[in-house]
Amino acid sequence: MTLSRQEVIRRLRERGEPVRLFGETDYDAFQRLRKIEILAPEVNKGLRNDLKAAMDKIDQQYLNEIVGGQEAGDPDAQDDLKVHEENTTIEELEALGESLGTGNDMKDMDIIEKVMRFLLGVWAKDLNSREYHIKRSVQGKLASATQKQTESYLKPLFRKLSKKTLSPDIKESITDIIKFMLQREYVKANDAYLQMAIGNAPWPIGVTMVGIHARTGREKIFSKHVAHVLNDETQRKYIQGLKRLMTICQKHFSTDPSKCVEYNAL
């Protein structure tokens, strides 16, 4: 039994192998894949931990700086993290936030993307301003890797926002979250986040069907009451990234402790 050509290509690319050698047929490529999988069954770069990959990338940048002739701690050395929306201020975004949720979906998506890129830039600037020895410590590299991981998590969301293809239900929830963040109402923003991620559906605990009659309340446990946001892996990642940006926003743009979430932790 042979695999489809698409599956053979996917498996070869995961292992860093060429998808076709000179003069090779589809069946020859399949046989080569089988031989590789038998000789090295555990090699699978396609399922690597993304945080570990981000840390490896930071280590590689550090090596590139050394190879390029830059001294350790050189202030002219290239920053580890990319800064977005450098010319934007929080005051401008707060003024734009007053028009969020007024019915103009296209404008709302532009504002959401601008705010999120601004917060990524604030986070990157904060990490880039650390002392060199802190950057190169284990905790420092982990913090940088977390920022890079969050940026990669948010790329699918940025793509949907720029193409204006974000689904209305998620767009409505994210609009509420961003609006509360710009008003510095972080408790309300956290409630809106939980409403989007978990929802208010009744959880089916215990036996729900006994005999031939449905139990009372069984009709409530259906798809329209269940939050499907975390069922999709891509959505789960960019919603996790959004939660990290909420924490960064609260850390850098403070307000009354009563309006903050886990105030003492920050």
Short mmCIF file of all heavy atoms in Angstrom, two decimals, residues 85 105-117 154-167 171 174 238:
data_model
loop_
_atom_site.label_atom_id
_atom_site.label_comp_id
_atom_site.label_asym_id
_atom_site.label_seq_id
_atom_site.Cartn_x
_atom_site.Cartn_y
_atom_site.Cartn_z
N GLU A 85 4.77 49.26 15.26
CA GLU A 85 4.01 50.48 15.57
C GLU A 85 4.82 51.44 16.44
O GLU A 85 4.38 51.86 17.51
CB GLU A 85 2.68 50.11 16.25
CG GLU A 85 1.71 49.32 15.39
CD GLU A 85 1.11 50.12 14.25
OE1 GLU A 85 1.22 51.37 14.28
OE2 GLU A 85 0.57 49.53 13.31
N ASP A 105 -17.43 47.67 11.01
CA ASP A 105 -16.59 46.50 11.25
C ASP A 105 -15.20 46.65 10.67
O ASP A 105 -14.21 46.22 11.26
CB ASP A 105 -17.26 45.25 10.67
CG ASP A 105 -18.48 44.84 11.47
OD1 ASP A 105 -18.65 45.37 12.59
OD2 ASP A 105 -19.26 43.99 10.99
N MET A 106 -15.08 47.24 9.49
CA MET A 106 -13.78 47.40 8.84
C MET A 106 -12.85 48.28 9.68
O MET A 106 -11.67 47.96 9.89
CB MET A 106 -13.95 47.99 7.44
CG MET A 106 -14.82 47.16 6.52
SD MET A 106 -14.18 45.48 6.30
CE MET A 106 -15.52 44.72 5.39
N LYS A 107 -13.41 49.38 10.17
CA LYS A 107 -12.60 50.29 11.00
C LYS A 107 -12.23 49.62 12.32
O LYS A 107 -11.11 49.77 12.82
CB LYS A 107 -13.37 51.57 11.26
CG LYS A 107 -12.56 52.63 12.01
CD LYS A 107 -13.35 53.92 12.17
CE LYS A 107 -12.53 54.97 12.92
NZ LYS A 107 -13.29 56.22 13.12
N ASP A 108 -13.17 48.84 12.88
CA ASP A 108 -12.89 48.13 14.13
C ASP A 108 -11.71 47.18 13.97
O ASP A 108 -10.83 47.11 14.84
CB ASP A 108 -14.12 47.34 14.58
CG ASP A 108 -15.21 48.24 15.15
OD1 ASP A 108 -14.94 49.45 15.31
OD2 ASP A 108 -16.32 47.74 15.41
N MET A 109 -11.67 46.43 12.86
CA MET A 109 -10.57 45.48 12.64
C MET A 109 -9.24 46.20 12.49
O MET A 109 -8.21 45.72 12.96
CB MET A 109 -10.87 44.62 11.40
CG MET A 109 -12.03 43.66 11.59
SD MET A 109 -12.20 42.51 10.21
CE MET A 109 -13.84 41.88 10.48
N ASP A 110 -9.25 47.37 11.83
CA ASP A 110 -8.01 48.14 11.71
C ASP A 110 -7.50 48.59 13.07
O ASP A 110 -6.31 48.54 13.36
CB ASP A 110 -8.25 49.37 10.80
CG ASP A 110 -8.43 48.98 9.34
OD1 ASP A 110 -7.95 47.89 8.96
OD2 ASP A 110 -9.05 49.74 8.59
N ILE A 111 -8.43 49.06 13.93
CA ILE A 111 -8.03 49.53 15.26
C ILE A 111 -7.52 48.37 16.10
O ILE A 111 -6.52 48.49 16.81
CB ILE A 111 -9.23 50.23 15.95
CG1 ILE A 111 -9.62 51.49 15.19
CG2 ILE A 111 -8.87 50.58 17.40
CD1 ILE A 111 -10.88 52.16 15.72
N ILE A 112 -8.20 47.22 16.03
CA ILE A 112 -7.77 46.04 16.80
C ILE A 112 -6.36 45.64 16.40
O ILE A 112 -5.49 45.40 17.25
CB ILE A 112 -8.75 44.88 16.57
CG1 ILE A 112 -10.09 45.16 17.24
CG2 ILE A 112 -8.16 43.57 17.12
CD1 ILE A 112 -11.18 44.18 16.88
N GLU A 113 -6.09 45.58 15.09
CA GLU A 113 -4.75 45.20 14.63
C GLU A 113 -3.71 46.21 15.08
O GLU A 113 -2.61 45.85 15.52
CB GLU A 113 -4.74 45.10 13.10
CG GLU A 113 -3.41 44.65 12.54
CD GLU A 113 -3.42 44.50 11.03
OE1 GLU A 113 -4.44 44.82 10.40
OE2 GLU A 113 -2.39 44.06 10.48
N LYS A 114 -4.04 47.50 15.02
CA LYS A 114 -3.10 48.56 15.41
C LYS A 114 -2.76 48.46 16.90
O LYS A 114 -1.60 48.57 17.29
CB LYS A 114 -3.71 49.92 15.08
CG LYS A 114 -2.72 51.08 15.03
CD LYS A 114 -3.41 52.34 14.56
CE LYS A 114 -2.42 53.48 14.37
NZ LYS A 114 -1.49 53.24 13.25
N VAL A 115 -3.78 48.22 17.73
CA VAL A 115 -3.57 48.13 19.18
C VAL A 115 -2.70 46.92 19.52
O VAL A 115 -1.75 47.02 20.32
CB VAL A 115 -4.91 48.05 19.92
CG1 VAL A 115 -4.69 47.73 21.40
CG2 VAL A 115 -5.67 49.36 19.78
N MET A 116 -2.97 45.79 18.88
CA MET A 116 -2.23 44.58 19.21
C MET A 116 -0.78 44.69 18.75
O MET A 116 0.14 44.25 19.45
CB MET A 116 -2.92 43.37 18.58
CG MET A 116 -4.28 43.09 19.20
SD MET A 116 -5.19 41.76 18.41
CE MET A 116 -4.25 40.37 18.97
N ARG A 117 -0.55 45.27 17.59
CA ARG A 117 0.84 45.47 17.13
C ARG A 117 1.56 46.47 18.03
O ARG A 117 2.76 46.32 18.31
CB ARG A 117 0.85 45.95 15.68
CG ARG A 117 0.44 44.87 14.67
CD ARG A 117 0.71 45.30 13.25
NE ARG A 117 0.27 44.32 12.29
CZ ARG A 117 0.96 43.24 11.93
NH1 ARG A 117 2.15 43.01 12.47
NH2 ARG A 117 0.49 42.40 11.03
N LEU A 154 0.01 35.09 16.95
CA LEU A 154 -0.93 36.12 16.52
C LEU A 154 -0.93 36.34 15.01
O LEU A 154 -1.80 37.06 14.49
CB LEU A 154 -0.62 37.44 17.22
CG LEU A 154 -0.91 37.48 18.73
CD1 LEU A 154 -0.37 38.75 19.34
CD2 LEU A 154 -2.40 37.37 19.00
N LYS A 155 0.02 35.74 14.29
CA LYS A 155 0.08 35.97 12.84
C LYS A 155 -1.21 35.58 12.12
O LYS A 155 -1.69 36.33 11.25
CB LYS A 155 1.28 35.21 12.25
CG LYS A 155 2.59 35.94 12.44
CD LYS A 155 3.75 35.19 11.79
CE LYS A 155 5.06 35.94 12.00
NZ LYS A 155 6.21 35.21 11.40
N PRO A 156 -1.83 34.41 12.42
CA PRO A 156 -3.10 34.10 11.73
C PRO A 156 -4.19 35.13 12.02
O PRO A 156 -4.99 35.45 11.14
CB PRO A 156 -3.47 32.73 12.29
CG PRO A 156 -2.20 32.14 12.78
CD PRO A 156 -1.38 33.29 13.26
N LEU A 157 -4.22 35.67 13.24
CA LEU A 157 -5.22 36.68 13.57
C LEU A 157 -4.94 37.98 12.81
O LEU A 157 -5.87 38.60 12.28
CB LEU A 157 -5.21 36.94 15.08
CG LEU A 157 -6.20 38.00 15.59
CD1 LEU A 157 -7.62 37.64 15.21
CD2 LEU A 157 -6.07 38.16 17.10
N PHE A 158 -3.67 38.39 12.74
CA PHE A 158 -3.32 39.58 11.96
C PHE A 158 -3.70 39.41 10.49
O PHE A 158 -4.17 40.35 9.84
CB PHE A 158 -1.83 39.88 12.08
CG PHE A 158 -1.42 40.44 13.42
CD1 PHE A 158 -0.18 40.13 13.98
CD2 PHE A 158 -2.27 41.26 14.13
CE1 PHE A 158 0.19 40.63 15.21
CE2 PHE A 158 -1.90 41.78 15.37
CZ PHE A 158 -0.67 41.47 15.90
N ARG A 159 -3.50 38.20 9.97
CA ARG A 159 -3.85 37.94 8.58
C ARG A 159 -5.35 38.09 8.34
O ARG A 159 -5.78 38.70 7.35
CB ARG A 159 -3.38 36.52 8.20
CG ARG A 159 -3.27 36.27 6.72
CD ARG A 159 -2.71 34.90 6.43
NE ARG A 159 -1.40 34.69 7.03
CZ ARG A 159 -1.12 33.78 7.94
NH1 ARG A 159 -2.06 32.95 8.37
NH2 ARG A 159 0.09 33.66 8.43
N LYS A 160 -6.14 37.57 9.27
CA LYS A 160 -7.60 37.69 9.14
C LYS A 160 -8.04 39.14 9.30
O LYS A 160 -8.98 39.59 8.63
CB LYS A 160 -8.29 36.81 10.17
CG LYS A 160 -8.17 35.33 9.90
CD LYS A 160 -8.95 34.51 10.93
CE LYS A 160 -8.86 33.03 10.62
NZ LYS A 160 -9.65 32.21 11.55
N LEU A 161 -7.39 39.87 10.19
CA LEU A 161 -7.76 41.28 10.39
C LEU A 161 -7.43 42.12 9.17
O LEU A 161 -8.21 42.99 8.76
CB LEU A 161 -7.05 41.83 11.63
CG LEU A 161 -7.55 41.32 12.99
CD1 LEU A 161 -6.62 41.78 14.10
CD2 LEU A 161 -8.97 41.81 13.27
N SER A 162 -6.26 41.88 8.56
CA SER A 162 -5.86 42.67 7.40
C SER A 162 -6.72 42.34 6.18
O SER A 162 -7.01 43.22 5.35
CB SER A 162 -4.38 42.43 7.07
OG SER A 162 -4.15 41.07 6.78
N LYS A 163 -7.15 41.08 6.06
CA LYS A 163 -8.02 40.67 4.94
C LYS A 163 -9.50 40.86 5.25
O LYS A 163 -10.34 40.60 4.39
CB LYS A 163 -7.76 39.21 4.58
CG LYS A 163 -6.36 38.95 4.01
CD LYS A 163 -6.19 37.48 3.65
CE LYS A 163 -4.82 37.23 3.05
NZ LYS A 163 -4.63 35.80 2.71
N LYS A 164 -9.81 41.30 6.48
CA LYS A 164 -11.19 41.54 6.91
C LYS A 164 -12.04 40.27 6.81
O LYS A 164 -13.20 40.30 6.39
CB LYS A 164 -11.83 42.67 6.07
CG LYS A 164 -11.02 43.96 6.03
CD LYS A 164 -10.89 44.57 7.40
CE LYS A 164 -10.21 45.93 7.37
NZ LYS A 164 -8.78 45.87 7.08
N THR A 165 -11.46 39.14 7.21
CA THR A 165 -12.16 37.86 7.13
C THR A 165 -12.40 37.25 8.52
O THR A 165 -12.72 36.07 8.61
CB THR A 165 -11.38 36.86 6.28
OG1 THR A 165 -10.06 36.68 6.83
CG2 THR A 165 -11.26 37.34 4.85
N LEU A 166 -12.25 38.04 9.58
CA LEU A 166 -12.46 37.52 10.93
C LEU A 166 -13.95 37.26 11.15
O LEU A 166 -14.80 38.08 10.78
CB LEU A 166 -11.95 38.53 11.96
CG LEU A 166 -11.88 38.06 13.41
CD1 LEU A 166 -10.91 36.91 13.56
CD2 LEU A 166 -11.48 39.21 14.32
N SER A 167 -14.27 36.10 11.73
CA SER A 167 -15.67 35.73 11.93
C SER A 167 -16.35 36.72 12.88
O SER A 167 -15.72 37.22 13.82
CB SER A 167 -15.78 34.31 12.48
OG SER A 167 -15.08 34.20 13.71
N LYS A 171 -14.89 38.47 16.32
CA LYS A 171 -14.61 39.90 16.15
C LYS A 171 -15.33 40.73 17.21
O LYS A 171 -14.77 41.66 17.80
CB LYS A 171 -15.03 40.33 14.74
CG LYS A 171 -14.79 41.80 14.43
CD LYS A 171 -16.08 42.60 14.57
CE LYS A 171 -15.81 44.07 14.60
NZ LYS A 171 -16.99 44.87 14.97
N ILE A 174 -13.46 40.17 20.62
CA ILE A 174 -12.16 40.85 20.67
C ILE A 174 -12.36 42.36 20.71
O ILE A 174 -11.59 43.08 21.36
CB ILE A 174 -11.30 40.42 19.47
CG1 ILE A 174 -10.95 38.93 19.58
CG2 ILE A 174 -10.01 41.24 19.41
CD1 ILE A 174 -10.10 38.41 18.45
N TYR A 238 -3.97 32.03 19.06
CA TYR A 238 -3.99 33.50 19.04
C TYR A 238 -4.83 34.09 20.16
O TYR A 238 -4.63 35.23 20.55
CB TYR A 238 -4.35 34.07 17.66
CG TYR A 238 -5.72 33.83 17.08
CD1 TYR A 238 -6.87 34.33 17.67
CD2 TYR A 238 -5.86 33.15 15.86
CE1 TYR A 238 -8.11 34.14 17.12
CE2 TYR A 238 -7.10 32.97 15.28
CZ TYR A 238 -8.22 33.47 15.91
OH TYR A 238 -9.46 33.30 15.34
#
